[in-house]
Amino acid sequence: MSAEPAAHRVIPGATVARLPVYLRALSALATAGTDTVSSEELAEAAGVRSAKLRKDLSYLGSYGVRGVGYDVARLRDEIEGELGLRHDFSLAIVGMGNLGHALAAYSGFATRGFAVRWLVDEAPDVVGTRIAGLTVIDFDGLARECNDSMIGVIATPPDAAQDVADRLVALGVRSILNFAPAVLSIPSGVEVRKVDLATELQILAFHQQHPRLDPKALDRDALDPKTDDLEEGAAP
Amino acid sequence: MSAEPAAHRVIPGATVARLPVYLRALSALATAGTDTVSSEELAEAAGVRSAKLRKDLSYLGSYGVRGVGYDVARLRDEIEGELGLRHDFSLAIVGMGNLGHALAAYSGFATRGFAVRWLVDEAPDVVGTRIAGLTVIDFDGLARECNDSMIGVIATPPDAAQDVADRLVALGVRSILNFAPAVLSIPSGVEVRKVDLATELQILAFHQQHPRLDPKALDRDALDPKTDDLEEGAAP
DNA sequence: AGGTGTGAAAAGATTCACAGCA
DNA sequence: TGCTGTGAATCTTTTCACACCT
Protein backbone atom coordinates (compact mmCIF):
# COMPACT_ATOMS: atom_id res chain seq x y z
CA MET A 1 0.00 0.00 0.00
CA SER A 2 1.03 3.48 -0.65
CA ALA A 3 -2.03 5.40 -1.68
CA GLU A 4 -2.08 7.46 1.44
CA PRO A 5 -3.82 10.76 0.87
CA ALA A 6 -1.89 12.80 3.34
CA ALA A 7 1.47 11.93 4.74
CA HIS A 8 4.57 13.28 6.32
CA ARG A 9 6.17 12.64 2.97
CA VAL A 10 9.08 14.92 2.28
CA ILE A 11 8.83 16.30 -1.23
CA PRO A 12 12.22 17.11 -2.76
CA GLY A 13 12.80 20.72 -3.69
CA ALA A 14 13.44 19.86 -7.32
CA THR A 15 10.06 18.18 -7.45
CA VAL A 16 8.28 21.12 -5.84
CA ALA A 17 9.76 23.41 -8.46
CA ARG A 18 8.19 21.29 -11.20
CA LEU A 19 4.72 20.92 -9.72
CA PRO A 20 3.57 24.29 -11.06
CA VAL A 21 4.53 23.20 -14.55
CA TYR A 22 2.58 19.98 -14.22
CA LEU A 23 -0.32 21.95 -12.84
CA ARG A 24 -0.35 24.22 -15.84
CA ALA A 25 -0.25 21.32 -18.24
CA LEU A 26 -3.08 19.60 -16.39
CA SER A 27 -5.21 22.73 -16.45
CA ALA A 28 -4.69 22.99 -20.18
CA LEU A 29 -5.69 19.36 -20.62
CA ALA A 30 -8.77 19.82 -18.48
CA THR A 31 -9.78 22.84 -20.51
CA ALA A 32 -9.29 20.82 -23.66
CA GLY A 33 -11.68 18.23 -22.31
CA THR A 34 -9.16 15.47 -21.74
CA ASP A 35 -9.93 13.51 -18.64
CA THR A 36 -7.20 10.90 -18.54
CA VAL A 37 -3.54 11.28 -19.33
CA SER A 38 -0.56 8.95 -19.30
CA SER A 39 2.76 9.85 -17.73
CA GLU A 40 4.23 9.85 -21.20
CA GLU A 41 1.77 12.42 -22.52
CA LEU A 42 1.87 14.64 -19.47
CA ALA A 43 5.65 14.52 -19.40
CA GLU A 44 5.74 15.60 -23.02
CA ALA A 45 3.46 18.54 -22.26
CA ALA A 46 5.60 19.54 -19.30
CA GLY A 47 8.92 19.16 -21.04
CA VAL A 48 10.33 16.42 -18.83
CA ARG A 49 10.95 12.69 -19.07
CA SER A 50 8.16 10.36 -18.11
CA ALA A 51 10.22 8.57 -15.47
CA LYS A 52 10.91 11.85 -13.76
CA LEU A 53 7.27 12.78 -13.87
CA ARG A 54 6.18 9.50 -12.34
CA LYS A 55 8.80 9.76 -9.63
CA ASP A 56 7.68 13.29 -8.87
CA LEU A 57 4.04 12.30 -8.66
CA SER A 58 4.88 9.34 -6.50
CA TYR A 59 5.96 11.75 -3.75
CA LEU A 60 2.40 13.06 -3.65
CA GLY A 61 0.88 9.60 -3.38
CA SER A 62 -0.52 7.07 -5.77
CA TYR A 63 -2.99 8.94 -7.87
CA GLY A 64 -2.57 7.01 -11.09
CA VAL A 65 -4.17 3.84 -12.33
CA ARG A 66 -1.89 1.19 -13.81
CA GLY A 67 -2.61 0.45 -17.39
CA VAL A 68 -4.67 3.61 -17.68
CA GLY A 69 -2.95 6.78 -16.53
CA TYR A 70 -3.90 9.71 -14.34
CA ASP A 71 -7.26 11.35 -13.91
CA VAL A 72 -6.64 14.90 -15.05
CA ALA A 73 -9.05 16.69 -12.72
CA ARG A 74 -8.09 14.62 -9.72
CA LEU A 75 -4.38 15.06 -10.21
CA ARG A 76 -4.80 18.77 -10.78
CA ASP A 77 -6.70 19.09 -7.54
CA GLU A 78 -4.13 17.09 -5.63
CA ILE A 79 -1.30 19.27 -6.87
CA GLU A 80 -3.25 22.42 -6.10
CA GLY A 81 -3.77 21.16 -2.60
CA GLU A 82 -0.12 20.28 -2.20
CA LEU A 83 0.91 23.72 -3.37
CA GLY A 84 -1.47 25.36 -0.95
CA LEU A 85 -3.55 26.96 -3.66
CA ARG A 86 -6.81 26.13 -1.95
CA HIS A 87 -6.80 29.56 -0.41
CA ASP A 88 -5.81 32.81 -2.05
CA PHE A 89 -2.68 34.85 -1.57
CA SER A 90 -2.34 38.61 -1.68
CA LEU A 91 0.69 40.28 -3.14
CA ALA A 92 2.25 43.45 -1.83
CA ILE A 93 4.54 44.97 -4.44
CA VAL A 94 7.15 47.25 -2.95
CA GLY A 95 8.86 49.77 -5.19
CA MET A 96 6.88 51.57 -7.84
CA GLY A 97 9.58 52.16 -10.42
CA ASN A 98 9.41 50.78 -13.91
CA LEU A 99 9.38 47.20 -12.81
CA GLY A 100 6.94 47.61 -9.93
CA HIS A 101 4.65 49.50 -12.24
CA ALA A 102 4.76 46.74 -14.79
CA LEU A 103 4.24 43.99 -12.27
CA ALA A 104 1.21 45.81 -10.91
CA ALA A 105 -0.34 45.75 -14.35
CA TYR A 106 1.01 42.44 -15.57
CA SER A 107 -1.89 40.09 -15.91
CA GLY A 108 0.30 37.02 -15.95
CA PHE A 109 1.01 37.90 -12.37
CA ALA A 110 -2.58 37.53 -11.36
CA THR A 111 -2.62 33.80 -11.81
CA ARG A 112 -5.46 32.04 -10.16
CA GLY A 113 -4.98 32.33 -6.45
CA PHE A 114 -2.65 35.31 -6.47
CA ALA A 115 -3.93 38.86 -6.59
CA VAL A 116 -1.95 42.05 -6.38
CA ARG A 117 -3.57 43.84 -3.47
CA TRP A 118 -1.13 46.45 -2.22
CA LEU A 119 1.34 48.75 -3.92
CA VAL A 120 3.93 50.22 -1.61
CA ASP A 121 6.42 53.02 -1.98
CA GLU A 122 8.01 55.46 0.45
CA ALA A 123 8.43 58.39 -1.91
CA PRO A 124 5.93 61.07 -0.78
CA ASP A 125 5.09 62.05 -4.34
CA VAL A 126 4.18 58.49 -5.22
CA VAL A 127 2.16 57.55 -2.15
CA GLY A 128 -1.48 58.25 -2.79
CA THR A 129 -1.28 58.03 -6.55
CA ARG A 130 -3.30 55.38 -8.32
CA ILE A 131 -1.66 52.67 -10.37
CA ALA A 132 -3.48 49.86 -12.10
CA GLY A 133 -6.56 50.53 -10.05
CA LEU A 134 -4.86 50.57 -6.66
CA THR A 135 -3.76 53.43 -4.45
CA VAL A 136 -0.09 53.41 -3.53
CA ILE A 137 0.49 53.25 0.22
CA ASP A 138 3.56 53.42 2.43
CA PHE A 139 4.81 50.90 4.96
CA ASP A 140 2.67 52.30 7.73
CA GLY A 141 -0.32 51.76 5.53
CA LEU A 142 0.79 48.25 4.74
CA ALA A 143 1.28 47.44 8.42
CA ARG A 144 -2.38 48.07 9.01
CA GLU A 145 -3.41 45.63 6.30
CA CYS A 146 -1.00 42.84 6.92
CA ASN A 147 -2.28 39.32 7.24
CA ASP A 148 -1.14 35.78 6.99
CA SER A 149 -1.63 35.31 3.29
CA MET A 150 0.58 38.21 2.28
CA ILE A 151 3.48 37.65 -0.09
CA GLY A 152 5.99 40.45 -0.44
CA VAL A 153 7.39 41.36 -3.84
CA ILE A 154 10.52 43.48 -3.83
CA ALA A 155 10.86 45.61 -6.96
CA THR A 156 13.13 48.33 -5.61
CA PRO A 157 16.67 49.23 -6.63
CA PRO A 158 19.23 46.88 -5.10
CA ASP A 159 20.44 49.24 -2.40
CA ALA A 160 16.97 49.49 -0.88
CA ALA A 161 16.22 45.79 -1.04
CA GLN A 162 17.65 44.70 2.30
CA ASP A 163 15.85 47.45 4.13
CA VAL A 164 12.57 46.56 2.47
CA ALA A 165 13.11 42.89 3.27
CA ASP A 166 13.72 43.73 6.92
CA ARG A 167 10.53 45.74 7.08
CA LEU A 168 8.49 43.03 5.42
CA VAL A 169 9.85 40.46 7.83
CA ALA A 170 9.03 42.77 10.72
CA LEU A 171 5.44 42.87 9.48
CA GLY A 172 5.31 39.10 9.65
CA VAL A 173 5.65 38.34 5.96
CA ARG A 174 6.94 34.81 5.48
CA SER A 175 7.29 34.65 1.71
CA ILE A 176 9.24 37.08 -0.44
CA LEU A 177 9.79 37.28 -4.17
CA ASN A 178 12.86 39.39 -4.83
CA PHE A 179 13.45 41.09 -8.17
CA ALA A 180 16.27 43.28 -6.91
CA PRO A 181 19.74 42.10 -7.85
CA ALA A 182 20.92 41.89 -4.26
CA VAL A 183 21.67 39.11 -1.80
CA LEU A 184 19.25 39.31 1.08
CA SER A 185 19.92 38.36 4.66
CA ILE A 186 16.76 36.80 5.96
CA PRO A 187 15.91 34.96 9.17
CA SER A 188 15.10 31.31 8.81
CA GLY A 189 11.41 30.67 8.63
CA VAL A 190 11.05 33.21 5.85
CA GLU A 191 11.30 31.94 2.29
CA VAL A 192 12.85 34.02 -0.46
CA ARG A 193 12.85 33.31 -4.16
CA LYS A 194 14.79 35.53 -6.45
CA VAL A 195 14.15 36.51 -10.02
CA ASP A 196 17.25 38.01 -11.48
CA LEU A 197 17.20 39.08 -15.09
CA ALA A 198 20.86 40.04 -15.34
CA THR A 199 21.86 36.65 -13.98
CA GLU A 200 19.70 34.85 -16.51
CA LEU A 201 21.22 36.84 -19.35
CA GLN A 202 24.72 36.10 -18.15
CA ILE A 203 23.99 32.41 -17.97
CA LEU A 204 22.77 32.58 -21.57
CA ALA A 205 25.94 34.44 -22.50
CA PHE A 206 28.01 31.68 -20.97
CA HIS A 207 26.29 28.97 -22.94
CA GLN A 208 26.55 30.98 -26.12
CA GLN A 209 30.29 31.26 -25.62
CA HIS A 210 30.69 27.62 -24.63
CA PRO A 211 28.47 25.78 -27.06
CA ARG A 212 27.62 22.46 -25.56
CA LEU A 213 29.38 20.03 -27.88
CA ASP A 214 26.21 18.09 -27.63
CA PRO A 215 27.27 14.95 -25.80
CA LYS A 216 25.19 12.44 -27.65
CA ALA A 217 23.04 14.45 -29.93
CA LEU A 218 23.70 12.27 -32.89
CA ASP A 219 21.97 9.11 -31.82
CA ARG A 220 18.96 11.02 -30.63
CA ASP A 221 17.05 11.02 -33.85
CA ALA A 222 17.68 7.35 -34.28
CA LEU A 223 15.72 6.59 -31.16
CA ASP A 224 13.28 9.37 -31.09
CA PRO A 225 11.67 11.59 -33.70
CA LYS A 226 11.87 14.61 -31.43
CA THR A 227 15.29 15.99 -30.86
CA ASP A 228 14.25 18.76 -28.63
CA ASP A 229 15.60 18.76 -25.22
CA LEU A 230 15.53 21.78 -23.14
CA GLU A 231 16.18 22.91 -19.73
CA GLU A 232 15.99 21.22 -16.52
CA GLY A 233 15.86 21.22 -12.94
CA ALA A 234 16.31 23.20 -10.05
CA ALA A 235 17.52 24.15 -6.92
CA PRO A 236 17.23 23.77 -3.30
CA MET B 1 50.12 22.74 -10.63
CA SER B 2 46.75 23.80 -11.67
CA ALA B 3 46.96 27.47 -12.43
CA GLU B 4 46.19 27.09 -16.08
CA PRO B 5 44.65 30.23 -17.50
CA ALA B 6 42.50 28.62 -20.11
CA ALA B 7 41.44 25.03 -20.20
CA HIS B 8 38.94 22.62 -21.56
CA ARG B 9 37.63 22.41 -18.05
CA VAL B 10 33.97 21.56 -17.84
CA ILE B 11 32.20 23.95 -15.53
CA PRO B 12 29.16 22.43 -13.82
CA GLY B 13 25.84 24.08 -14.55
CA ALA B 14 25.22 24.82 -10.90
CA THR B 15 28.49 26.70 -10.79
CA VAL B 16 27.75 28.70 -13.92
CA ALA B 17 24.47 29.82 -12.39
CA ARG B 18 26.35 31.28 -9.45
CA LEU B 19 29.10 33.08 -11.33
CA PRO B 20 26.92 36.13 -12.02
CA VAL B 21 26.31 36.48 -8.29
CA TYR B 22 30.01 36.34 -7.55
CA LEU B 23 30.61 38.82 -10.29
CA ARG B 24 28.19 41.28 -8.79
CA ALA B 25 29.73 40.92 -5.36
CA LEU B 26 33.20 41.44 -6.81
CA SER B 27 32.10 44.54 -8.69
CA ALA B 28 30.69 45.97 -5.49
CA LEU B 29 33.92 45.23 -3.66
CA ALA B 30 35.97 46.81 -6.43
CA THR B 31 33.81 49.91 -6.31
CA ALA B 32 34.26 50.05 -2.57
CA GLY B 33 38.02 50.06 -3.08
CA THR B 34 38.69 46.57 -1.70
CA ASP B 35 41.42 44.84 -3.64
CA THR B 36 41.74 41.52 -1.88
CA VAL B 37 39.04 39.26 -0.52
CA SER B 38 38.99 35.89 1.20
CA SER B 39 36.68 33.07 0.20
CA GLU B 40 34.94 33.53 3.52
CA GLU B 41 34.17 37.20 2.88
CA LEU B 42 33.18 36.77 -0.73
CA ALA B 43 30.98 33.82 0.12
CA GLU B 44 29.22 35.90 2.74
CA ALA B 45 28.60 38.65 0.21
CA ALA B 46 27.28 36.15 -2.31
CA GLY B 47 25.10 34.24 0.12
CA VAL B 48 26.86 30.88 -0.19
CA ARG B 49 29.21 28.78 1.90
CA SER B 50 32.90 29.37 1.52
CA ALA B 51 33.67 25.77 0.57
CA LYS B 52 31.20 26.00 -2.26
CA LEU B 53 32.68 29.25 -3.43
CA ARG B 54 36.20 27.84 -3.46
CA LYS B 55 35.08 24.75 -5.31
CA ASP B 56 33.27 26.90 -7.87
CA LEU B 57 36.29 29.12 -8.41
CA SER B 58 38.54 26.13 -8.71
CA TYR B 59 36.75 25.18 -11.91
CA LEU B 60 37.93 28.45 -13.43
CA GLY B 61 41.53 27.90 -12.40
CA SER B 62 43.72 28.86 -9.47
CA TYR B 63 43.29 32.55 -9.13
CA GLY B 64 43.69 32.82 -5.38
CA VAL B 65 46.76 33.12 -3.22
CA ARG B 66 47.01 30.84 -0.19
CA GLY B 67 47.11 32.68 3.05
CA VAL B 68 45.91 35.83 1.33
CA GLY B 69 42.78 35.47 -0.73
CA TYR B 70 41.67 36.55 -4.17
CA ASP B 71 42.58 39.67 -6.06
CA VAL B 72 39.25 41.38 -6.59
CA ALA B 73 39.91 42.97 -9.98
CA ARG B 74 41.64 39.91 -11.37
CA LEU B 75 38.93 37.53 -10.31
CA ARG B 76 36.23 39.82 -11.63
CA ASP B 77 37.93 39.93 -15.00
CA GLU B 78 38.36 36.18 -15.12
CA ILE B 79 34.69 35.60 -14.40
CA GLU B 80 33.68 38.18 -16.96
CA GLY B 81 35.79 36.40 -19.50
CA GLU B 82 34.35 33.05 -18.60
CA LEU B 83 30.81 34.38 -18.95
CA GLY B 84 31.59 35.85 -22.33
CA LEU B 85 30.97 39.41 -21.23
CA ARG B 86 34.00 40.72 -23.09
CA HIS B 87 31.73 41.58 -25.98
CA ASP B 88 28.27 43.04 -25.85
CA PHE B 89 24.94 41.40 -26.46
CA SER B 90 21.85 42.92 -28.00
CA LEU B 91 18.40 42.05 -26.78
CA ALA B 92 15.36 41.74 -28.99
CA ILE B 93 12.22 41.89 -26.89
CA VAL B 94 9.25 40.27 -28.59
CA GLY B 95 5.76 41.16 -27.40
CA MET B 96 4.96 44.72 -26.45
CA GLY B 97 2.27 44.12 -23.87
CA ASN B 98 2.59 45.21 -20.28
CA LEU B 99 5.58 43.07 -19.60
CA GLY B 100 7.43 43.79 -22.82
CA HIS B 101 6.83 47.48 -22.27
CA ALA B 102 8.25 47.29 -18.80
CA LEU B 103 11.25 45.26 -19.81
CA ALA B 104 12.03 47.77 -22.53
CA ALA B 105 12.20 50.50 -19.95
CA TYR B 106 13.61 48.51 -17.05
CA SER B 107 17.08 49.79 -16.39
CA GLY B 108 18.05 46.70 -14.44
CA PHE B 109 17.83 44.95 -17.74
CA ALA B 110 20.49 47.06 -19.29
CA THR B 111 23.26 45.57 -17.21
CA ARG B 112 26.73 46.16 -18.52
CA GLY B 113 27.10 44.20 -21.67
CA PHE B 114 23.41 43.82 -22.46
CA ALA B 115 21.47 46.48 -24.30
CA VAL B 116 17.88 46.37 -25.46
CA ARG B 117 18.20 47.08 -29.15
CA TRP B 118 15.02 45.85 -30.83
CA LEU B 119 11.39 45.83 -29.84
CA VAL B 120 9.26 43.47 -31.87
CA ASP B 121 5.53 43.04 -32.24
CA GLU B 122 3.31 41.85 -35.05
CA ALA B 123 0.25 43.97 -34.28
CA PRO B 124 0.01 46.57 -37.06
CA ASP B 125 -1.07 49.30 -34.68
CA VAL B 126 1.97 48.76 -32.49
CA VAL B 127 4.63 48.44 -35.18
CA GLY B 128 6.14 51.83 -35.83
CA THR B 129 5.30 53.31 -32.44
CA ARG B 130 8.11 54.41 -30.20
CA ILE B 131 8.69 52.86 -26.81
CA ALA B 132 11.54 53.73 -24.49
CA GLY B 133 13.37 55.46 -27.29
CA LEU B 134 13.10 52.64 -29.81
CA THR B 135 10.79 52.10 -32.73
CA VAL B 136 8.80 48.88 -32.64
CA ILE B 137 9.46 46.64 -35.62
CA ASP B 138 8.00 43.39 -36.88
CA PHE B 139 9.75 40.10 -37.59
CA ASP B 140 10.64 41.10 -41.11
CA GLY B 141 12.34 44.13 -39.69
CA LEU B 142 14.15 42.02 -37.16
CA ALA B 143 15.34 39.59 -39.81
CA ARG B 144 17.23 42.41 -41.49
CA GLU B 145 19.06 43.29 -38.31
CA CYS B 146 19.85 39.90 -36.98
CA ASN B 147 23.37 39.09 -35.95
CA ASP B 148 25.32 36.70 -33.84
CA SER B 149 25.10 38.56 -30.57
CA MET B 150 21.33 38.68 -30.51
CA ILE B 151 19.45 37.32 -27.53
CA GLY B 152 15.71 36.87 -27.91
CA VAL B 153 13.36 37.79 -25.09
CA ILE B 154 9.85 36.37 -25.31
CA ALA B 155 7.30 38.52 -23.53
CA THR B 156 4.19 37.44 -25.37
CA PRO B 157 1.11 35.63 -24.07
CA PRO B 158 1.72 31.90 -23.70
CA ASP B 159 -0.17 30.85 -26.80
CA ALA B 160 2.09 32.90 -29.04
CA ALA B 161 5.32 31.83 -27.38
CA GLN B 162 6.07 28.71 -29.41
CA ASP B 163 5.52 30.51 -32.67
CA VAL B 164 7.78 33.35 -31.62
CA ALA B 165 10.42 30.87 -30.50
CA ASP B 166 10.28 29.12 -33.86
CA ARG B 167 10.73 32.39 -35.69
CA LEU B 168 13.62 33.46 -33.51
CA VAL B 169 15.33 30.14 -34.07
CA ALA B 170 14.75 30.51 -37.80
CA LEU B 171 16.54 33.84 -37.65
CA GLY B 172 19.53 32.13 -36.09
CA VAL B 173 19.03 33.21 -32.51
CA ARG B 174 20.82 30.81 -30.19
CA SER B 175 19.83 32.21 -26.79
CA ILE B 176 16.30 32.83 -25.60
CA LEU B 177 14.94 34.22 -22.36
CA ASN B 178 11.32 33.17 -22.03
CA PHE B 179 8.88 35.03 -19.81
CA ALA B 180 5.81 33.32 -21.20
CA PRO B 181 4.39 30.56 -19.05
CA ALA B 182 4.68 27.91 -21.73
CA VAL B 183 6.89 24.93 -22.38
CA LEU B 184 8.90 25.54 -25.53
CA SER B 185 10.05 22.97 -28.01
CA ILE B 186 13.47 24.04 -29.17
CA PRO B 187 16.12 22.37 -31.28
CA SER B 188 19.30 21.44 -29.47
CA GLY B 189 21.98 24.03 -29.93
CA VAL B 190 19.62 26.76 -28.78
CA GLU B 191 19.61 27.62 -25.10
CA VAL B 192 16.44 28.67 -23.31
CA ARG B 193 16.13 30.07 -19.82
CA LYS B 194 12.72 30.65 -18.41
CA VAL B 195 11.51 33.23 -15.96
CA ASP B 196 8.13 32.26 -14.67
CA LEU B 197 6.48 34.44 -12.09
CA ALA B 198 3.48 32.25 -11.44
CA THR B 199 5.76 29.30 -10.80
CA GLU B 200 7.82 31.26 -8.32
CA LEU B 201 4.72 32.33 -6.45
CA GLN B 202 3.46 28.78 -6.31
CA ILE B 203 6.74 27.55 -4.95
CA LEU B 204 6.50 30.19 -2.24
CA ALA B 205 2.95 29.08 -1.53
CA PHE B 206 4.16 25.53 -1.09
CA HIS B 207 6.78 26.49 1.43
CA GLN B 208 4.35 28.66 3.30
CA GLN B 209 2.03 25.71 3.62
CA HIS B 210 4.79 23.27 4.51
CA PRO B 211 6.98 25.22 6.87
CA ARG B 212 10.38 23.65 6.81
CA LEU B 213 10.65 22.23 10.29
CA ASP B 214 14.03 23.83 10.22
CA PRO B 215 16.48 20.96 10.37
CA LYS B 216 19.23 22.93 11.99
CA ALA B 217 18.09 26.47 11.78
CA LEU B 218 19.88 27.53 14.89
CA ASP B 219 23.14 28.42 13.27
CA ARG B 220 23.19 31.31 10.90
CA ASP B 221 20.36 33.37 9.59
CA ALA B 222 21.08 34.28 6.04
CA LEU B 223 21.85 32.04 3.19
CA ASP B 224 20.54 29.06 1.47
CA PRO B 225 19.57 30.24 -1.94
CA LYS B 226 17.96 27.95 -4.32
CA THR B 227 16.82 28.93 -7.54
CA ASP B 228 17.77 28.27 -9.65
CA ASP B 229 15.16 27.20 -10.14
CA LEU B 230 13.46 28.47 -11.47
CA GLU B 231 14.91 26.78 -11.80
CA GLU B 232 16.99 25.16 -12.71
CA GLY B 233 20.46 24.39 -13.71
CA ALA B 234 22.15 23.16 -16.77
CA ALA B 235 20.94 20.85 -19.37
CA PRO B 236 20.64 17.27 -20.36
C1' DA C 1 49.36 31.76 10.92
C1' DG C 2 46.02 32.03 7.52
C1' DG C 3 43.53 30.73 3.67
C1' DT C 4 43.39 28.26 -0.96
C1' DG C 5 42.69 24.04 -3.69
C1' DT C 6 41.00 19.53 -3.80
C1' DG C 7 40.36 14.54 -2.94
C1' DA C 8 36.86 11.94 -0.66
C1' DA C 9 32.40 11.44 1.62
C1' DA C 10 27.65 12.67 1.79
C1' DA C 11 23.47 14.29 0.04
C1' DG C 12 20.42 15.06 -3.72
C1' DA C 13 18.43 14.39 -8.26
C1' DT C 14 17.78 11.70 -12.44
C1' DT C 15 17.47 7.61 -15.08
C1' DC C 16 16.88 2.73 -15.60
C1' DA C 17 14.33 -1.28 -15.61
C1' DC C 18 10.93 -4.12 -14.08
C1' DA C 19 7.52 -6.08 -10.72
C1' DG C 20 2.89 -5.73 -10.19
C1' DC C 21 -1.72 -4.27 -10.76
C1' DA C 22 -5.95 -2.95 -13.62
C1' DT D 1 -1.70 -5.75 -22.65
C1' DG D 2 -0.42 -1.16 -20.88
C1' DC D 3 1.12 1.83 -17.73
C1' DT D 4 2.07 3.05 -12.90
C1' DG D 5 5.09 2.98 -8.83
C1' DT D 6 9.51 2.23 -7.13
C1' DG D 7 14.06 -0.03 -5.76
C1' DA D 8 18.57 0.21 -7.48
C1' DA D 9 22.15 2.33 -10.35
C1' DT D 10 24.01 6.53 -11.99
C1' DC D 11 25.10 11.16 -12.24
C1' DT D 12 25.35 15.77 -10.11
C1' DT D 13 26.05 18.95 -6.41
C1' DT D 14 27.34 20.03 -1.80
C1' DT D 15 30.00 19.50 2.23
C1' DC D 16 33.97 18.01 4.82
C1' DA D 17 38.56 18.09 6.14
C1' DC D 18 43.19 18.67 5.41
C1' DA D 19 47.51 18.90 2.60
C1' DC D 20 49.93 22.56 0.93
C1' DC D 21 51.59 27.11 -0.12
C1' DT D 22 52.92 32.08 1.14
Side-chain angles (χ1 to χ4, degrees):
Chain A
M1 59 180 51
S2 53
E4 299 310 306
H8 55 306
R9 247 174 271 270
V10 173
I11 303 181
T15 294
V16 171
R18 282 186 295 267
L19 292 181
V21 180
Y22 302 156
L23 181 56
R24 194 142 58 212
L26 286 165
S27 297
L29 287 169
T31 300
T34 310
D35 43 42
T36 299
V37 69
S38 70
S39 63
E40 202 65 59
E41 295 162 331
L42 184 53
E44 159 88 28
V48 302
R49 304 265 198 167
S50 65
K52 195 194 270 188
L53 173 75
R54 289 199 303 277
K55 178 69 94 177
D56 282 343
L57 296 184
S58 78
Y59 292 116
L60 309 186
S62 291
Y63 298 125
V65 178
R66 292 166 201 243
V68 178
Y70 300 89
D71 181 273
V72 171
R74 166 100 191 280
L75 187 52
R76 182 199 55 199
D77 291 348
E78 291 297 341
I79 293 178
E80 279 188 350
E82 200 59 57
L83 289 174
L85 304 181
R86 294 268 164 74
H87 62 93
D88 290 349
F89 291 86
S90 304
L91 307 182
I93 300 177
V94 185
M96 284 297 114
N98 270 320
L99 184 60
H101 232 90
L103 292 176
Y106 181 45
S107 55
F109 220 34
T111 316
R112 232 183 95 205
F114 299 88
V116 176
R117 187 148 311 164
W118 302 284
L119 303 179
V120 183
D121 204 300
E122 286 292 276
D125 55 324
V126 176
V127 177
T129 62
R130 286 185 75 80
I131 296 176
L134 291 169
T135 302
V136 179
I137 59 177
D138 58 15
F139 265 101
D140 290 340
L142 187 64
R144 273 179 242 118
E145 310 261 2
C146 197
N147 68 54
D148 224 42
S149 76
M150 186 189 289
I151 291 179
V153 178
I154 300 180
T156 63
D159 49 302
Q162 182 63 57
D163 183 53
V164 168
D166 292 344
R167 287 175 185 233
L168 287 173
V169 169
L171 290 185
V173 171
R174 304 174 58 83
S175 299
I176 294 176
L177 185 55
N178 179 32
F179 283 85
V183 174
L184 299 180
S185 226
I186 295 284
S188 68
V190 177
E191 182 81 11
V192 180
R193 303 276 313 171
K194 77 173 157 56
V195 175
D196 185 338
L197 307 185
T199 291
E200 296 301 324
L201 291 175
Q202 290 176 7
I203 294 171
L204 284 174
F206 174 90
H207 289 294
Q208 188 154 330
Q209 185 170 66
H210 303 83
R212 185 135 77 302
L213 8 148
D214 36 284
K216 49 192 90 161
L218 301 173
D219 46 80
R220 253 328 139 85
D221 34 18
L223 305 173
D224 210 317
K226 300 233 147 141
T227 313
D228 58 303
D229 56 34
L230 24 155
E231 77 246 13
E232 48 115 85
Chain B
M1 64 180 45
S2 54
E4 298 311 306
H8 55 306
R9 247 174 271 269
V10 173
I11 303 181
T15 294
V16 171
R18 283 187 294 268
L19 292 180
V21 180
Y22 302 156
L23 181 56
R24 195 144 57 211
L26 287 164
S27 297
L29 287 168
T31 301
T34 310
D35 44 41
T36 299
V37 69
S38 70
S39 63
E40 202 66 59
E41 296 163 332
L42 184 53
E44 159 89 29
V48 302
R49 305 267 199 160
S50 65
K52 195 193 271 188
L53 173 74
R54 288 199 304 278
K55 180 68 97 179
D56 282 343
L57 296 184
S58 77
Y59 292 115
L60 308 187
S62 291
Y63 298 125
V65 179
R66 293 168 200 241
V68 178
Y70 300 89
D71 181 274
V72 171
R74 166 98 191 281
L75 186 53
R76 181 199 55 198
D77 292 348
E78 290 297 342
I79 293 179
E80 280 188 350
E82 201 59 57
L83 289 174
L85 304 182
R86 293 271 164 73
H87 63 92
D88 290 349
F89 291 87
S90 303
L91 306 183
I93 300 177
V94 185
M96 285 296 114
N98 271 320
L99 184 60
H101 231 91
L103 292 175
Y106 181 46
S107 55
F109 220 35
T111 316
R112 230 183 98 205
F114 299 89
V116 176
R117 187 148 312 165
W118 303 285
L119 304 180
V120 183
D121 205 299
E122 286 292 275
D125 55 322
V126 176
V127 177
T129 62
R130 287 185 72 81
I131 296 176
L134 292 169
T135 301
V136 179
I137 60 178
D138 58 14
F139 265 101
D140 289 340
L142 187 64
R144 273 179 242 117
E145 311 261 2
C146 196
N147 68 55
D148 223 42
S149 76
M150 186 188 289
I151 292 179
V153 178
I154 300 180
T156 62
D159 49 301
Q162 181 65 58
D163 183 53
V164 168
D166 292 344
R167 288 174 184 234
L168 288 172
V169 169
L171 290 185
V173 171
R174 305 174 56 83
S175 298
I176 294 177
L177 185 55
N178 178 31
F179 283 86
V183 174
L184 299 181
S185 224
I186 295 284
S188 69
V190 177
E191 182 80 11
V192 179
R193 303 276 314 170
K194 78 172 157 56
V195 175
D196 185 338
L197 307 184
T199 291
E200 296 301 324
L201 291 175
Q202 291 178 5
I203 294 171
L204 285 173
F206 173 90
H207 289 293
Q208 188 155 329
Q209 184 170 69
H210 303 82
R212 185 132 80 298
L213 5 151
D214 36 285
K216 49 193 91 160
L218 302 173
D219 42 43
R220 227 143 268 184
D221 33 316
L223 26 164
D224 103 348
K226 358 201 113 188
T227 345
D228 307 52
D229 234 359
L230 320 191
E231 261 243 14
E232 35 158 314

